[in-house]
Each structure stands twice: as structure tokens, then as C-alpha cells.
Amino acid sequence: MQLYKIIYSMFGKLISHSWQMMRRSAFFEKSMFAKGFIAFMVFFAVMQLFGLGRVLPVILNENFPDRAPAEWVYGVLPLILIADITLRFFIQKFPARHVKPYLHMPVQRGQLTIYWMTRSWLHPMNIYLLFFFYPFIQMTINPATSSQEAGLLGIFLLTGVNHSLLMLIWSPGKSGKWLGMFLLFVLLLTGLSYLWIPDQMMKYSLDFFLAFVYLKPFAFLLPILLITILHLVIYKQIGKNYYEVYEAEEKTEKAAEESFIERIISNVPEYGPYWLLEWRLLTRNRRTRTSFYSYIPMAMVYVIFAALWIDEPAKTSLAIVYLIMASGMGGLHLQHVYSWESHFFDFLASRDFSFETFIRAKYYFYLLLSGIQLLLVIIILIFLNPQLLILMTALTVYAAGLGFYIYFRAGIRHSSRMDLQAKASFNMEGVSGMKLLIGILQFFILLPLFIVGFIIPVPFGESILIAVVGLSFIINHRSWIKKLGHRLEARKHINLSLYREK
Amino acid sequence: MNIHIRQLKKQYSGHTVLDIPELDIASGELLGIVGNNGAGKTTMLRLGLDLIEANEGHISIGDEKVNEGTHWKRHTGSFLDEGFLIGFLTPEEYFYFNGEVYGLSNAQVDEGLGIYKKFLSEDILGTDKYIRQLSTGNKQKVGIVAAMVVNPSVLMLDEPFNFLDPSSQIIIRNMIRNMNKNRGTTMLISSHNINHLADICSRVILLEKGLIIKDIRPDDTVRLEEVEAYFASQAG
């Protein structure tokens, strides 16, 4: 009993630290406006999911009357789970840094492991799907004959298996990873089976979900058993591999070698050294690397989704979401323009260094990336949905013109020293309310352009108008970059003092 | 409490970063570890705290091998780097939590902190700042005090003089000396600075590329000069 009390007390303390960590995160140090805006965006995202769950049955009924909406959605649960785990790969990491400060203390490692595993469950990725399924289940499951709550619990358990699977793969150590990879392979195989036997797969998936709502014990037992087994493996694996938390730091990083791409970049006339610096900044730091390598593939996945599913009336929302993708390099890099350099801004500021050339080189670098992204988009759309080609091209041009200009302009006032090794995804560190507002200007500007473009009697009017706006900024880039160079030079001392303060 | 090192070897990708066949640190000894960057000082301390795994051999604190039990942790205070701190706590909250895991009440922690009040400047206590908001030097102070305030029998500090202003360096030297003298705490202190260590340590080992190349008593001035000459020769 005494031992239980000690364990419980320490575990409770650790969990309370989790709460403090969240409550005292940098997010709450932002201005009221930024907090309000971010809270609104979260609320908006939740409402989007909620709304989708509410209207999807109606849409499916109208467009695919041969099957009930429930069959469509519950019939593709494995595919939903594959999409879910893919998303988790980018967003969810094993919370290793949470236990590091306790490792040298006289805290039982077993307790730490349990805390570690419990802590990993406190992640929005474990509930976001419920916001979609809650209304969808209400619309599709009859409460008189079955349990809606059980259906929701079933979804939670299934995504819980995904969570456990990912935690096993991300947790320190290798021994249990084979099990994780095997289960992942089984999940992917299940998804691929839809290509060969779609009707049977939909039936199996539907039957399995119905087993939840009809309260069949085996339906619950299966995911619970899987979650339990996976957690036991994780527990054992972590216990054996605590050293990895520190050893990862001790291991000498692979010696930096000049890669083929670096050799090409360094030979670019005039901008070579700047591009090489940008490339190394992006590829040699955790945070920049994660976003750099994930954004173009994410944009491509979205384009495929849009090409297959989005119809004419949904064009505006498509445009806004794609714009986030198209200017992804902006969202995750240019949003923090010059802030990545905040760690060596003193170096830049103390050398004979032209900020104008520096910004221009940076702009050309991201323009090139946008070009690569556009090329891939064009290839995808030629095969899947050529009708969207003009709009997508226009949006990419718009993002690379006006969008990038706005990010570069907002970046001048950047004042936070960014942590290049912090968690990459959805990290709003250093984004003040004003910067955020300036950053989203490009989305607000897009809406009137859509309206005007719709009114003018020219085919693809809105796309042409959007492209013209973007193109005008691309053509005039030398002029606005020159002004921004002067502004950054003039603000150099303020930024430097703010970097040092924070 | 004694510390014994036997056949200790640490390798990364086949490259040996620490190789100590035998080292005994007597109870109450104040051992300084000096060496250039990459000499293996931090690795040695991390192995001593069981934060990384030895490829061969072991370190014992008292009668317990550090990788086979955790009892030694109750008697060992340590601060190696910022990773030891919990950034979202205030210094007071951190001291209390740290005291709690060592079995001390808040009142005992407060009493202990009294000794270090001069060291913990006004910028640290009672400011309602989180640890992550403190300057590097002040973080260093919080970590060092947290390691000392639990009255450990063994204390391990990595580069404790770094980031500190000259006055604080003198205070911490006195703190270490007093703790060692009054409580008989066994101490392992690493530093780049031979003079700091020579001033307070009863023994200094010189690490180079993972090997102990000299083991000296600082009162032996001739041999201290030898160490300085060694570093001078390394500097070319």
C-alpha cells in the first residue's frame, strides 16, 4: 500500500507537470490577439470536421444513391485508418524530451515509462476524428436499435491502435519495431485489398463497425488487446533503451559531406553561397528539415485528393487550402523569414553583407521550389483532373508572387529567436498576432479576386485575375526586394536587441 | 561514498571515446576532471549517472553498480547541462520538486536554499520567471543549487564555472570547497579551467581522447606545471 502511494504520488506529480507544461507553453505567452486567433483557428478546424460529419451523409445520398452513406464511410475504415496514421507520422512524435529532466533523479524508471506512455496519449491526434464521427454516427446509426456511443468508442479504440503502433515505432529501441512494422504492413495490405476486392472489403469493414454498435464483445476486445500488447512491448522496449535518450546526443553526427545537390547549388553564379547557406539551414536542422521534406509531398497528396474529390462549387475552399500548400514554403519557412537566421543574425549583421542580395537569393530559392512543386502538380492534374490545371497554376503563381511578398514583408519585424530543433509541425513559435494577420492577408485578398473574376465575362476569369496579381509581384520583385533590403538594414539593431532579449 | 571505475569503455560506431581501465575515488575526495573538448569528460559523468550505457565495464557508487540499481541516486546530486532542468517550472517549484524526489520537505529545501541565497541572485528567486526564461548563467546556477541542496554524498558537476560571472565563480568555488570539507561529499567536477580545479580539488585527472593521461594532486606544483605545459604543447 505504501509503495502504491509513493508510486501514485510521483505519477500524479509527473502528470501535473504535463498539465503545467501545456498551461505554461509559449503559446500562452502570446498576445491576446494571437491567442484568440489561434483558438479561433482551432475552433474553425473542429467545426469543419463537425460540419463534414453532418453534411457528408447528405452529399453521399445525393451523389451516390446506390449505397447508404453509412456503407460508404464505415466500409472504408481501413483506408481512414491508413490516412490517419500517415497524418500522425508527420505530426505525432514520441515525447522523449518530457522524461529527460527526470532521468538523473531518483525516480523509478518504471514510473517514468508509464508516465511517458500516458503522456503520449495526451495528443489532439487521438480525438480529432471523433469530431467528424460524432455527428456522422448520429446521422447514420439508429439509437433505437444500436448504440451510437459504442460506435464512437469503437472509432476511438481503432485510432488508439494507430496511436500505439506509431508510439512503438517512434519509441527508443529497435526490438519491438519489427512488430510495429509488421502491423503497419498488415494495415497497408488491408488498404491495398480494396483495389482487388472492393465490395468484400467494404462489407468486412462495415460488419466490423456494426459489431461495435451492436455491442459485440469481440469488436472491443480486438483493439483493446492490440493496444495492451503494443503497450506492453513499448514498456519493455523503453525499459531496455533509456540510454538512447542521451546517447542520441552523444553520437557524433554523420560528418557533413558536400552532396551532389550542394555542389550544383554552390556553382550557381552570384547566389551560390546564399543558396548553399539556405539549403544547409533547411537540411541540417530538425525543424526546418521536417517541414522542408514534408510540405511538397503533403501538397501533392492534397492535389490528388482535390483532383479526385473536389467539384466546382467547392473551388473557393480548395483554393484557400491549396494556397496554404502552395505557399507551404512560405507558411513554414517564409512565415519565419530571417528568423531561422536569428541564431547567426549577429554574424550577418557584422559582415559586409547586402541584405538586398540576401533576400533576393532567398526569394529565387523559394521561387525555384515553387516551380518544382508546380511541375509536380501539373503532372498529377494532367492525369487526374486537367480542369483544375489553370486554377492550380494560378494559385501557385499567386502564392509565389503576392504570398511570398507578404511573408518577406512581415518577416522584417520578426523578433524571436527560433529554436531550430523544436518540434516542427504546427509550431507557431515566434508568430505574433500582427505577423499572423499580415501572413493571412493573402487569403483575404483572394476572396474579392474570386468575386471579381467570377463577374468578368472571361473564361477562367478568376484564375486569370489571381495569376495576374501573382505575376505582377514576381515581375516587380527587384523593386520590392530592394525596398525590403533597406527596411531590414534599417531595422537591424532593433531585431538584434530583441533576439538578445528573448 | 567511494566511487570505483573498472574496465570502463564507451564506443560510438567503433570509435572509443572513453577507456578507463581502473580508477578509484575515495570517499570525500574532490576529483577534478580536466581535458580539451572531446576528451571524454561529459561522457565519463554521463556514464557515472547511468545516462548512457557502457560498452564494457562499470562504475560503482558505494557498493552498487550504477547500471544495476537506483539506490545510489538517492545519495547523488548532479548537474551536467540544461537537459537536467524542467523549463516550465519556476526555480522555486523546481527546487521543491527536486527536494521531494530526494525525500525532502519544502521547509527543508527552504532551509537548504538559505545557504545559497547569495549565489542565487535576485534575478532567480521570487521573480515568477520560468526556468526557460532565465539567462544561461542563471539556469546554470539553478541546476547547481538543485544538485547541492539535497545534501548528496556524491556530487557530479560538468563545467560548473561556465557562463558564470567572476563573483559567482568565486562563490561556487567556495560552495564546492565547503560542501566537500564540511559534509565529506565525494565530488567529480569537470572543467576546462585548470586553475579553478587546482584551487579546490584534492586530485585532478587529465583526460585526453578518452584516456587518463595524468593523475595528480594539485599541491604538487611541479606536476601542475606539467599539465599546463601539456596543454600548451597541444595548442602548438
Side-chain angles (χ1 to χ4, degrees):
Chain A
M1 195 62 194
Q2 188 63 22
L3 184 70
Y4 166 78
K5 271 187 183 166
I6 294 168
I7 291 174
Y8 179 78
S9 142
M10 183 49 64
F11 183 72
K13 197 86 196 167
L14 294 174
I15 288 292
S16 80
H17 277 185
S18 278
W19 168 250
Q20 278 176 316
M21 187 181 188
M22 193 189 75
R23 186 68 194 80
R24 296 173 174 185
S25 75
F27 168 77
F28 290 98
E29 287 172 11
K30 291 184 190 304
S31 68
M32 280 303 287
F33 176 81
K35 277 192 275 192
F37 184 79
I38 293 168
F40 171 75
M41 292 301 278
V42 171
F43 178 74
F44 182 71
V46 167
M47 283 299 111
Q48 286 269 5
L49 283 169
F50 198 85
L52 187 66
R54 202 103 191 129
V55 300
L56 196 62
V58 182
I59 295 173
L60 289 173
N61 249 338
E62 278 176 12
N63 293 295
F64 308 98
D66 53 321
R67 272 186 206 264
E71 285 181 56
W72 279 114
V73 173
Y74 305 133
V76 294
L77 280 182
L79 299 181
I80 294 174
L81 290 175
I82 290 172
D84 174 64
I85 204 162
T86 310
L87 199 59
R88 283 170 190 266
F89 260 108
F90 291 109
I91 295 171
Q92 219 178 345
K93 296 278 175 275
F94 201 77
R97 67 202 166 95
H98 298 319
V99 298
K100 205 174 166 189
Y102 307 102
L103 286 178
H104 70 287
M105 292 180 177
V107 181
Q108 293 282 338
R109 290 208 168 160
Q111 286 175 36
L112 268 185
T113 309
I114 293 169
Y115 162 67
W116 209 349
M117 294 196 303
T118 312
R119 180 68 184 73
S120 76
W121 278 88
L122 304 177
H123 199 284
M125 285 304 291
N126 288 323
I127 53 163
Y128 80 103
L129 269 179
L130 300 183
F131 293 115
F132 164 76
F133 274 103
Y134 177 69
F136 190 82
I137 286 174
Q138 277 195 328
M139 300 278 285
T140 53
I141 300 293
N142 181 359
T145 55
S146 42
S147 166
Q148 294 178 334
E149 294 77 15
L152 208 59
L153 178 64
I155 297 294
F156 177 72
L157 288 174
L158 290 176
T159 54
V161 174
N162 266 0
H163 167 83
S164 314
L165 196 55
L166 199 68
M167 288 305 107
L168 176 63
I169 291 166
W170 284 147
S171 61
K174 293 189 180 88
S175 53
K177 283 195 170 46
W178 290 108
L179 176 66
M181 297 309 281
F182 172 73
L183 290 174
L184 203 59
F185 178 71
V186 170
L187 182 63
L188 289 175
L189 210 61
T190 314
L192 283 174
S193 307
Y194 278 82
L195 292 173
W196 297 294
I197 43 168
D199 290 333
Q200 287 97 319
M201 286 306 296
M202 285 185 82
K203 188 181 175 308
Y204 296 146
S205 174
L206 179 67
D207 287 347
F208 188 69
F209 180 76
L210 290 178
F212 283 118
V213 296
Y214 293 139
L215 299 169
K216 305 273 188 214
F218 82 89
F220 296 94
L221 275 177
L222 190 67
I224 289 173
L225 198 68
L226 266 174
I227 291 171
T228 311
I229 291 171
L230 287 168
H231 274 73
L232 286 172
V233 178
I234 296 171
Y235 182 85
K236 216 171 157 191
Q237 180 164 291
I238 294 176
K240 279 187 191 165
N241 295 285
Y242 259 101
Y243 295 114
E244 274 196 21
V245 177
Y246 267 90
E247 293 206 344
E249 269 181 26
E250 285 252 331
K251 277 177 193 158
T252 326
E253 276 197 31
K254 198 180 149 199
E257 287 171 8
E258 197 177 53
S259 66
F260 175 66
I261 294 177
E262 286 182 347
R263 271 199 296 279
I264 294 175
I265 288 174
S266 61
N267 285 318
V268 172
E270 192 178 354
Y271 302 111
Y274 297 94
W275 281 22
L276 194 60
L277 184 68
E278 192 72 28
W279 175 261
R280 287 176 172 168
L281 185 70
L282 292 178
T283 55
R284 292 182 179 181
N285 293 293
R286 181 188 165 199
R287 185 164 168 187
T288 49
R289 190 170 49 221
T290 312
S291 48
F292 180 55
Y293 289 141
S294 63
Y295 239 80
I296 289 186
M298 270 168 73
M300 293 311 110
V301 169
Y302 180 73
V303 168
I304 292 169
F305 165 79
L308 292 174
W309 291 97
I310 293 187
D311 56 1
E312 189 66 18
K315 230 160 51 174
T316 318
S317 57
L318 154 80
I320 289 180
V321 179
Y322 179 69
L323 200 55
I324 299 172
M325 301 289 176
S327 61
M329 293 304 151
L332 282 169
H333 298 285
L334 300 181
Q335 174 191 42
H336 307 298
V337 188
Y338 327 121
S339 54
W340 300 122
E341 289 87 352
S342 56
H343 283 275
F344 54 88
F345 208 81
D346 294 75
F347 167 80
L348 301 179
S350 60
R351 262 67 183 173
D352 182 15
F353 193 81
S354 157
F355 278 119
E356 187 189 335
T357 317
F358 168 67
I359 298 172
R360 202 180 319 124
K362 205 182 242 297
Y363 180 60
Y364 290 162
F365 184 87
Y366 289 103
L367 207 56
L368 183 69
L369 286 177
S370 289
I372 294 169
Q373 187 167 315
L374 180 61
L375 196 68
L376 295 170
V377 168
I378 289 171
I379 293 168
I380 290 170
L381 290 179
I382 284 173
F383 287 104
L384 296 181
N385 193 343
Q387 283 179 320
L388 282 176
L389 249 173
I390 294 176
L391 177 65
M392 293 294 205
T393 306
L395 284 169
T396 312
V397 171
Y398 176 85
L402 177 69
F404 282 11
Y405 164 73
I406 289 173
Y407 285 132
F408 274 111
R409 177 68 186 82
I412 300 276
R413 299 184 69 84
H414 189 89
S415 59
S416 298
R417 189 155 266 177
M418 306 287 293
D419 181 357
L420 287 163
Q421 306 306 323
K423 192 178 81 168
S425 312
F426 302 110
N427 189 329
M428 300 295 279
E429 180 195 4
V431 183
S432 67
M434 187 49 73
K435 251 188 83 188
L436 201 64
L437 194 65
I438 296 170
I440 59 170
L441 256 183
Q442 58 171 319
F443 304 114
F444 289 133
I445 294 170
L446 198 64
L447 293 174
L449 291 180
F450 257 102
I451 295 166
V452 175
F454 183 72
I455 296 167
I456 54 171
V458 178
F460 302 108
E462 72 270 28
S463 299
I464 292 168
L465 202 60
I466 290 166
V468 166
V469 171
L471 213 54
S472 65
F473 276 86
I474 295 176
I475 292 166
N476 287 314
H477 72 273
R478 278 196 169 261
S479 157
W480 57 259
I481 285 175
K482 191 175 182 179
K483 283 179 192 154
L484 292 188
H486 291 318
R487 278 178 188 273
L488 188 59
E489 183 70 48
R491 207 185 140 80
K492 183 173 78 177
H493 297 115
I494 302 172
N495 283 3
L496 281 170
S497 73
L498 288 168
Y499 289 152
R500 275 190 280 274
E501 266 177 33
K502 288 175 184 175
Chain B
M1 222 169 224
N2 300 320
I3 299 175
H4 303 289
I5 298 179
R6 294 286 179 273
Q7 307 301 334
L8 188 69
K9 200 175 261 190
K10 181 66 192 169
Q11 295 175 315
Y12 287 112
S13 314
H15 174 67
T16 303
V17 293
L18 193 74
D19 186 359
I20 304 178
E22 189 174 348
L23 182 70
D24 293 309
I25 302 151
S27 184
E29 196 158 43
L30 206 170
L31 179 78
I33 308 164
V34 67
N36 286 322
N37 290 334
K41 302 186 296 292
T42 306
T43 303
M44 183 179 165
L45 292 175
R46 282 182 173 169
L47 284 165
L49 292 169
D50 193 39
L51 294 174
I52 53 175
E53 190 176 25
N55 294 83
E56 288 172 30
H58 65 265
I59 297 185
S60 307
I61 294 181
D63 298 328
E64 193 180 18
K65 289 180 184 171
V66 294
N67 57 332
E68 288 182 0
T70 54
H71 188 69
W72 58 272
K73 283 191 176 182
R74 294 230 150 242
H75 313 288
T76 305
S78 56
F79 179 71
L80 304 192
D81 55 40
E82 275 188 30
F84 278 46
L85 301 172
I86 303 174
F88 55 86
L89 298 183
T90 64
E92 284 91 340
E93 287 170 342
Y94 180 66
F95 291 136
Y96 291 146
F97 174 70
N98 180 58
E100 197 178 327
V101 294
Y102 281 87
L104 299 180
S105 67
N106 288 0
Q108 285 172 305
V109 173
D110 281 334
E111 195 187 324
L113 286 176
I115 308 169
Y116 305 110
K117 224 162 196 169
K118 202 174 168 192
F119 183 61
L120 294 168
S121 54
E122 287 170 1
D123 305 340
I124 298 176
L125 291 179
T127 56
D128 287 338
K129 273 187 183 174
Y130 301 135
I131 292 176
R132 67 163 184 257
Q133 294 169 321
L134 300 177
S135 67
T136 313
N138 283 342
K139 281 181 190 164
Q140 177 94 344
K141 287 181 182 178
V142 171
I144 292 169
V145 169
M148 296 177 101
V149 81
V150 294
N151 294 324
S153 305
V154 174
L155 180 71
M156 298 192 201
L157 299 175
D158 191 16
E159 305 283 1
F161 309 105
N162 278 4
F163 313 115
L164 298 181
D165 55 74
S167 306
S168 298
Q169 288 183 14
I170 292 167
I171 297 174
I172 194 180
R173 272 202 326 229
N174 292 336
M175 276 162 49
I176 291 171
R177 195 187 285 128
N178 291 342
M179 191 173 194
N180 176 253
K181 199 175 152 190
N182 300 337
R183 292 189 44 86
T185 309
T186 312
M187 295 180 170
L188 275 75
I189 314 285
S190 85
S191 178
H192 287 120
N193 193 318
I194 312 165
N195 295 327
H196 280 313
L197 294 183
D199 197 30
I200 55 169
C201 294
S202 49
R203 183 181 173 195
V204 174
I205 57 170
L206 170 58
L207 273 180
E208 189 62 23
K209 291 176 183 162
L211 300 170
I212 296 177
I213 56 167
K214 285 191 192 302
D215 186 346
I216 56 175
R217 312 277 161 182
D219 50 355
D220 183 349
T221 45
V222 178
R223 298 196 65 190
L224 255 182
E225 280 167 12
E226 245 179 66
V227 174
E228 280 179 329
Y230 173 81
F231 282 117
S233 70
Q234 291 292 304

PDB file of all heavy atoms in Angstrom, chain B residues 126-138:
ATOM      1  N   GLY B 126      11.951  34.314  -6.514  1.00  0.00           N
ATOM      2  CA  GLY B 126      10.866  35.268  -6.300  1.00  0.00           C
ATOM      3  C   GLY B 126      10.553  36.153  -7.490  1.00  0.00           C
ATOM      4  O   GLY B 126       9.935  37.203  -7.341  1.00  0.00           O
ATOM      5  N   THR B 127      10.959  35.744  -8.670  1.00  0.00           N
ATOM      6  CA  THR B 127      10.699  36.592  -9.844  1.00  0.00           C
ATOM      7  C   THR B 127       9.517  36.092 -10.669  1.00  0.00           C
ATOM      8  O   THR B 127       9.099  36.750 -11.611  1.00  0.00           O
ATOM      9  CB  THR B 127      11.922  36.630 -10.785  1.00  0.00           C
ATOM     10  OG1 THR B 127      12.224  35.284 -11.137  1.00  0.00           O
ATOM     11  CG2 THR B 127      13.109  37.278 -10.125  1.00  0.00           C
ATOM     12  N   ASP B 128       9.013  34.907 -10.322  1.00  0.00           N
ATOM     13  CA  ASP B 128       7.928  34.277 -11.086  1.00  0.00           C
ATOM     14  C   ASP B 128       8.296  34.007 -12.537  1.00  0.00           C
ATOM     15  O   ASP B 128       7.431  33.882 -13.401  1.00  0.00           O
ATOM     16  CB  ASP B 128       6.644  35.135 -11.044  1.00  0.00           C
ATOM     17  CG  ASP B 128       5.983  35.050  -9.684  1.00  0.00           C
ATOM     18  OD1 ASP B 128       6.254  34.053  -8.974  1.00  0.00           O
ATOM     19  OD2 ASP B 128       5.232  35.963  -9.327  1.00  0.00           O
ATOM     20  N   LYS B 129       9.598  33.953 -12.784  1.00  0.00           N
ATOM     21  CA  LYS B 129      10.027  33.599 -14.153  1.00  0.00           C
ATOM     22  C   LYS B 129      10.140  32.078 -14.228  1.00  0.00           C
ATOM     23  O   LYS B 129      10.546  31.446 -13.252  1.00  0.00           O
ATOM     24  CB  LYS B 129      11.399  34.193 -14.437  1.00  0.00           C
ATOM     25  CG  LYS B 129      11.378  35.597 -14.954  1.00  0.00           C
ATOM     26  CD  LYS B 129      12.778  35.989 -15.356  1.00  0.00           C
ATOM     27  CE  LYS B 129      12.839  37.423 -15.832  1.00  0.00           C
ATOM     28  NZ  LYS B 129      14.203  37.856 -16.079  1.00  0.00           N
ATOM     29  N   TYR B 130       9.816  31.537 -15.398  1.00  0.00           N
ATOM     30  CA  TYR B 130      10.062  30.109 -15.598  1.00  0.00           C
ATOM     31  C   TYR B 130      11.554  29.918 -15.856  1.00  0.00           C
ATOM     32  O   TYR B 130      12.234  30.838 -16.346  1.00  0.00           O
ATOM     33  CB  TYR B 130       9.268  29.582 -16.799  1.00  0.00           C
ATOM     34  CG  TYR B 130       7.777  29.767 -16.678  1.00  0.00           C
ATOM     35  CD1 TYR B 130       7.023  30.239 -17.736  1.00  0.00           C
ATOM     36  CD2 TYR B 130       7.127  29.472 -15.484  1.00  0.00           C
ATOM     37  CE1 TYR B 130       5.657  30.425 -17.625  1.00  0.00           C
ATOM     38  CE2 TYR B 130       5.757  29.649 -15.356  1.00  0.00           C
ATOM     39  CZ  TYR B 130       5.028  30.132 -16.429  1.00  0.00           C
ATOM     40  OH  TYR B 130       3.681  30.310 -16.302  1.00  0.00           O
ATOM     41  N   ILE B 131      12.008  28.714 -15.590  1.00  0.00           N
ATOM     42  CA  ILE B 131      13.442  28.453 -15.780  1.00  0.00           C
ATOM     43  C   ILE B 131      13.855  28.732 -17.221  1.00  0.00           C
ATOM     44  O   ILE B 131      14.930  29.265 -17.486  1.00  0.00           O
ATOM     45  CB  ILE B 131      13.783  27.004 -15.358  1.00  0.00           C
ATOM     46  CG1 ILE B 131      13.617  26.860 -13.840  1.00  0.00           C
ATOM     47  CG2 ILE B 131      15.184  26.608 -15.790  1.00  0.00           C
ATOM     48  CD1 ILE B 131      13.823  25.469 -13.302  1.00  0.00           C
ATOM     49  N   ARG B 132      12.976  28.394 -18.153  1.00  0.00           N
ATOM     50  CA  ARG B 132      13.341  28.595 -19.567  1.00  0.00           C
ATOM     51  C   ARG B 132      13.546  30.067 -19.904  1.00  0.00           C
ATOM     52  O   ARG B 132      14.165  30.394 -20.916  1.00  0.00           O
ATOM     53  CB  ARG B 132      12.285  27.981 -20.495  1.00  0.00           C
ATOM     54  CG  ARG B 132      10.943  28.659 -20.473  1.00  0.00           C
ATOM     55  CD  ARG B 132      10.097  28.282 -21.684  1.00  0.00           C
ATOM     56  NE  ARG B 132       8.856  29.017 -21.664  1.00  0.00           N
ATOM     57  CZ  ARG B 132       7.678  28.510 -21.305  1.00  0.00           C
ATOM     58  NH1 ARG B 132       7.596  27.257 -20.959  1.00  0.00           N
ATOM     59  NH2 ARG B 132       6.590  29.247 -21.297  1.00  0.00           N
ATOM     60  N   GLN B 133      13.015  30.957 -19.054  1.00  0.00           N
ATOM     61  CA  GLN B 133      13.156  32.388 -19.340  1.00  0.00           C
ATOM     62  C   GLN B 133      14.427  32.977 -18.720  1.00  0.00           C
ATOM     63  O   GLN B 133      14.726  34.142 -18.931  1.00  0.00           O
ATOM     64  CB  GLN B 133      11.936  33.144 -18.791  1.00  0.00           C
ATOM     65  CG  GLN B 133      10.641  32.770 -19.510  1.00  0.00           C
ATOM     66  CD  GLN B 133       9.403  33.296 -18.801  1.00  0.00           C
ATOM     67  OE1 GLN B 133       9.339  33.279 -17.576  1.00  0.00           O
ATOM     68  NE2 GLN B 133       8.423  33.727 -19.562  1.00  0.00           N
ATOM     69  N   LEU B 134      15.145  32.173 -17.938  1.00  0.00           N
ATOM     70  CA  LEU B 134      16.357  32.684 -17.292  1.00  0.00           C
ATOM     71  C   LEU B 134      17.523  32.713 -18.273  1.00  0.00           C
ATOM     72  O   LEU B 134      17.532  31.981 -19.261  1.00  0.00           O
ATOM     73  CB  LEU B 134      16.728  31.790 -16.095  1.00  0.00           C
ATOM     74  CG  LEU B 134      15.701  31.656 -14.959  1.00  0.00           C
ATOM     75  CD1 LEU B 134      16.209  30.678 -13.909  1.00  0.00           C
ATOM     76  CD2 LEU B 134      15.426  33.015 -14.322  1.00  0.00           C
ATOM     77  N   SER B 135      18.517  33.519 -17.938  1.00  0.00           N
ATOM     78  CA  SER B 135      19.717  33.541 -18.773  1.00  0.00           C
ATOM     79  C   SER B 135      20.485  32.230 -18.566  1.00  0.00           C
ATOM     80  O   SER B 135      20.234  31.503 -17.595  1.00  0.00           O
ATOM     81  CB  SER B 135      20.606  34.705 -18.368  1.00  0.00           C
ATOM     82  OG  SER B 135      21.099  34.473 -17.058  1.00  0.00           O
ATOM     83  N   THR B 136      21.402  31.944 -19.477  1.00  0.00           N
ATOM     84  CA  THR B 136      22.149  30.682 -19.381  1.00  0.00           C
ATOM     85  C   THR B 136      22.883  30.580 -18.047  1.00  0.00           C
ATOM     86  O   THR B 136      22.899  29.517 -17.422  1.00  0.00           O
ATOM     87  CB  THR B 136      23.164  30.593 -20.551  1.00  0.00           C
ATOM     88  OG1 THR B 136      22.479  30.952 -21.744  1.00  0.00           O
ATOM     89  CG2 THR B 136      23.721  29.206 -20.699  1.00  0.00           C
ATOM     90  N   GLY B 137      23.478  31.692 -17.613  1.00  0.00           N
ATOM     91  CA  GLY B 137      24.210  31.682 -16.343  1.00  0.00           C
ATOM     92  C   GLY B 137      23.295  31.376 -15.172  1.00  0.00           C
ATOM     93  O   GLY B 137      23.643  30.588 -14.284  1.00  0.00           O
ATOM     94  N   ASN B 138      22.098  31.989 -15.179  1.00  0.00           N
ATOM     95  CA  ASN B 138      21.163  31.746 -14.081  1.00  0.00           C
ATOM     96  C   ASN B 138      20.603  30.329 -14.112  1.00  0.00           C
ATOM     97  O   ASN B 138      20.351  29.734 -13.068  1.00  0.00           O
ATOM     98  CB  ASN B 138      20.035  32.781 -14.108  1.00  0.00           C
ATOM     99  CG  ASN B 138      20.498  34.123 -13.559  1.00  0.00           C
ATOM    100  OD1 ASN B 138      21.525  34.188 -12.869  1.00  0.00           O
ATOM    101  ND2 ASN B 138      19.782  35.180 -13.863  1.00  0.00           N
TER     102      ASN B 138
END
